[in-house]
Amino acid sequence: MDDATRDALKARACAAIDARAAELVALSLRIHAHPEVAYEEHRASAWLAELLAGDGFEVTRGLAEMPTAFRATAGSGAPVVAILAEYDALPGIGHGCGHNIIATSAAGAGIGLRTLIDDTGGSVQVIGTPAEEVYGGKVQLIRAGVFDGIDAAMMVHPGTRDAVVAKALACAELHIEYFGREAHAAAQPENGINALEAMIIAYNAINALRQHIRRSARVHGVITDGGEAPNIVPGHSAASFLVRAEDDAYLQDLKPRVAACFEAGGQATGARVELTWNPNQYAAMNTNPAIAEAFRRNFARVGRSVPAPETPRPLGSTDMGNVSKIMPGIHPAIAIAPPHVNSHSPQFADYAASPSGQRAVTDAAKALAMTAVDVLTDAALRSQMREDFERSCAIP
Ligand SMILES: [Zn+2]
Ligand SMILES: [Zn+2]
């Protein structure tokens, strides 16, 4: 396919997205107004699945034992491009990560691509991926084989600046429980085993550990149970911690060091400790250079020029990292808020529904759709993307 033909297809995709812009933005605002946390995204996933089914996609709802996952397919055969939709919100903060924009830009990209999939050949899938903020829904989808047969995966995440190359940390989640023995805190303290003291010792041990780990690594958590009443020696305490590192190997090094801090709390107090690592560990993001450069050119077409080379700033973590380890993938960011606004904050949630958040829905949809057109129609790009991917897999 020559460049002019490809450009004409891209223009058609963008026009199709513009024609549905009001509907996409309305859906983004509706999801924003009804935030649902991980695994409970029943309304958001239903609205997205219904929109895509109504547009002519073949939709399967419920994947990998997750009722709020879905797959919407248009076209047939290879190559297959997947556009990923996230839609979970944060407890207490709502859409403070802007996943309403991820969801509707993915749907919009799918809608734009469906109008020309017979001309590009291959197929497009919009995959609804629940529980990104916790639990790692994509890890569950990968394990169930949902991503088998897909050539490339992409999504766009809202942020405080436009970026093509994302840096996301590998991340493991640890749940901690101490079991001690209740006793009257004044009358019989000598008979008690203090599960809260065990937790405080571990918390401080982690503060000490943090001084002697790589600067880019992160260990942080919250105590979710610290006892019931001041006159009872706490017989139970619980916490949830995240351990993050720039690469998967260093994360594996850190995990036993963090676990040792919690074991120390148990040893010091006599409380029994139970440590449970979430089996859905998040991998570091492996941005595919070939797709990223295609996205960079298309991002500029919607007025978002990101000069290369970039200095990626560390983000949090994403289960898109795991997808990027099994196939070529990208996770660019689109600015919806000024740099001083914190992600995962009520202010960021406000921006996710603001005019800039609304504009991001269609800008991201178009950049994704145009990049998918590149992948579907450019065999040289596909072989470069495969080569980049194989090379990245060779790096430990
Ligand atoms: Zn997010
Ligand atoms: Zn988030």
Side-chain angles (χ1 to χ4, degrees), residues 14-326:
C14 291
I17 291 163
D18 277 331
R20 305 286 291 275
E23 203 181 333
L24 292 166
V25 167
L27 179 55
S28 175
L29 296 178
R30 201 182 327 148
I31 294 172
H32 186 275
H34 299 92
E36 299 162 301
V37 297
Y39 287 147
E40 291 173 21
E41 316 96 327
H42 297 286
R43 284 180 294 194
S45 62
W47 291 333
L48 291 157
E50 281 158 18
L51 173 71
L52 292 163
D55 191 63
F57 278 79
E58 192 184 301
V59 178
T60 309
R61 289 178 60 183
L63 305 168
E65 289 169 18
M66 292 184 285
T68 58
F70 69 86
R71 186 201 313 265
T73 305
S76 63
V80 185
V81 172
I83 318 265
L84 307 189
E86 298 173 359
Y87 28 77
D88 57 326
L90 295 161
I93 292 184
H95 277 289
C97 207
H99 291 188
N100 56 307
I101 294 166
I102 304 179
T104 46
S105 63
I111 286 169
L113 286 162
R114 196 201 52 80
T115 61
L116 40 91
I117 197 73
D118 292 337
D119 299 310
T120 60
S123 40
V124 57
Q125 298 187 2
V126 179
I127 302 182
T129 69
E132 188 278 333
E133 294 289 357
V134 283
Y135 309 132
K138 292 184 196 66
V139 187
Q140 211 167 316
L141 293 172
I142 290 169
R143 220 175 271 139
V146 169
F147 287 97
D148 294 357
I150 294 171
D151 294 279
M154 52 184 91
M155 56 174 285
V156 173
H157 198 295
T160 55
R161 63 190 188 119
D162 295 325
V164 175
V165 177
K167 189 163 163 184
L169 303 171
C171 179
E173 185 187 14
L174 178 61
H175 290 282
I176 307 98
E177 274 188 286
Y178 286 107
F179 299 90
R181 190 193 301 134
E182 289 85 353
H184 193 295
Q188 307 151 310
E190 67 277 17
N191 292 339
I193 296 177
N194 195 320
L196 177 61
E197 294 288 7
M199 186 65 79
I200 303 292
I201 287 165
Y203 201 95
N204 287 326
I206 283 168
N207 283 340
L209 171 68
R210 212 180 271 124
Q211 194 180 188
H212 302 287
I213 63 177
R214 290 184 193 163
R215 284 167 65 102
S216 54
R218 300 280 184 272
V219 186
H220 50 93
V222 289
I223 298 175
T224 53
D225 179 11
E228 297 298 329
N231 58 354
I232 307 169
V233 172
H236 180 262
S237 66
S240 187
F241 268 71
L242 295 172
V243 186
R244 309 191 202 229
E246 218 162 296
D247 59 68
D248 302 330
Y250 193 57
L251 179 62
Q252 289 309 115
D253 287 352
L254 277 180
K255 284 169 67 179
R257 297 174 70 187
V258 171
C261 294
F262 288 103
E263 278 148 18
Q267 290 212 334
T269 57
R272 182 170 62 81
V273 63
E274 259 181 37
L275 302 179
T276 312
W277 291 99
N278 181 342
N280 294 354
Q281 189 167 306
Y282 289 33
M285 182 65 205
N286 173 31
T287 294
N288 185 271
I291 314 180
E293 289 322 302
F295 186 90
R296 191 185 307 282
R297 289 188 292 275
N298 294 317
F299 217 18
R301 287 180 180 222
V302 297
R304 295 177 185 263
S305 147
V306 180
E310 294 171 74
T311 323
R313 286 178 216 174
L315 293 166
S317 306
T318 171
D319 54 9
M320 181 64 192
N322 301 64
V323 177
S324 75
K325 291 282 156 69
I326 59 160

Side-chain angles (χ1 to χ4, degrees), residues 295-387:
F295 186 90
R296 191 185 307 282
R297 289 188 292 275
N298 294 317
F299 217 18
R301 287 180 180 222
V302 297
R304 295 177 185 263
S305 147
V306 180
E310 294 171 74
T311 323
R313 286 178 216 174
L315 293 166
S317 306
T318 171
D319 54 9
M320 181 64 192
N322 301 64
V323 177
S324 75
K325 291 282 156 69
I326 59 160
M327 70 178 64
I330 56 168
H331 183 280
I334 189 161
I336 65 162
H340 68 268
V341 175
N342 292 332
S343 171
H344 284 197
S345 70
Q347 293 72 33
F348 197 87
D350 290 344
Y351 277 100
S354 71
S356 63
Q358 296 176 30
R359 203 160 48 244
V361 171
T362 46
D363 282 359
K366 289 176 190 174
L368 284 168
M370 290 192 282
T371 307
V373 167
D374 285 326
V375 173
L376 291 168
T377 63
D378 187 343
L381 171 62
R382 286 199 301 279
S383 75
Q384 183 63 51
M385 131 195 139
R386 283 305 314 172
E387 202 177 294

